[in-house]
């Protein structure tokens, strides 16, 4: 997909994934219909744009980039974090998860997914069968109890 594939999905904690900057205005981006599908608002009021190749989803809250969901590629220091083990992820990012690991079994394949919160870098990491399958990148406001300026 030209729009996403041409953009290296480099992860900069608390800042961006490729050209998508956290907390930036939706007006800064174009989502051509041949590459992106618009998703209706969810129960939290977030709007979603999904890449038609299912590689990436961007959520917007109050017209600002809120979360970036990476399913195939998320580069950090020259390494794709998707497909790594949790230990490899911890080593490369020099971070550790906090709290309890949530285990969710919502697919019909008998393989639950484990969800790890890496608050020090703003990433929620989903692991299945020992490998990372999804990383959700969020801004500092997602990990703060402080009100944000909207």
């Amino acid at each position: 997909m030209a729009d996403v594939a041409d953009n290296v999905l480099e992860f900069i904690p608390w800042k961006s994934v490729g050209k998508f900057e956290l907390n930036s205005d939706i007006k800064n981006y174009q989502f051509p219909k041949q590459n992106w599908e618009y998703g209706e608002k969810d129960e939290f009021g977030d709007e979603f744009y999904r890449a038609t190749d299912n590689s990436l989803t961007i959520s917007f809250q109050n017209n600002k980039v809120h979360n970036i969901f990476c399913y195939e590629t998320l580069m950090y220091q020259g390494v794709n974090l998707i497909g790594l083990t949790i230990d490899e992820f911890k080593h490369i990012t020099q971070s550790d998860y906090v709290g309890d690991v949530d285990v969710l079994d919502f697919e019909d394949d008998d393989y639950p997914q484990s969800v790890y919160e890496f608050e020090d870098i703003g990433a929620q990491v989903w692991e299945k069968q020992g490998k990372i399958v999804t990383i959700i990148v969020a801004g500092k406001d997602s990990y703060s109890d402080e009100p944000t300026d909207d």
Side-chain angles (χ1 to χ4, degrees), residues 39-147:
E40 296 297 318
K41 286 186 180 183
D42 67 9
E43 64 271 19
F44 304 108
D46 286 6
E47 296 179 77
F48 293 85
Y49 282 91
R50 282 182 195 84
T52 54
D53 67 359
N54 296 314
S55 63
L56 191 69
T57 298
I58 312 293
S59 77
F60 292 87
Q61 191 173 69
N62 300 320
N63 293 320
K64 305 275 186 191
V65 174
H66 186 238
N67 292 309
I68 304 167
F69 299 71
C70 302
Y71 307 110
E72 294 178 0
T73 305
L74 182 61
M75 301 301 293
Y76 184 74
Q77 297 181 351
V79 177
N80 185 3
L81 299 174
I82 306 291
L84 298 179
T85 66
I86 289 298
D87 286 338
E88 291 168 331
F89 180 93
K90 288 168 45 176
H91 177 74
I92 290 167
T93 62
Q94 293 296 296
S95 62
D96 203 352
Y97 62 89
V98 297
D100 295 329
V101 176
D102 290 327
V103 178
L104 306 174
D105 192 5
F106 58 91
E107 296 178 322
D108 292 334
D109 61 4
D110 294 325
Y111 296 108
Q113 294 190 33
S114 299
V115 183
Y116 301 81
E117 293 289 344
F118 287 84
E119 290 185 1
D120 58 337
I121 60 170
Q124 185 182 76
V125 178
W126 292 59
E127 177 255 8
K128 181 176 182 177
Q129 291 187 279
K131 299 290 183 183
I132 295 170
V133 294
T134 301
I135 299 175
I136 303 171
V137 175
K140 288 185 179 183
D141 61 325
S142 294
Y143 292 97
S144 172
D145 294 332
E146 298 294 318

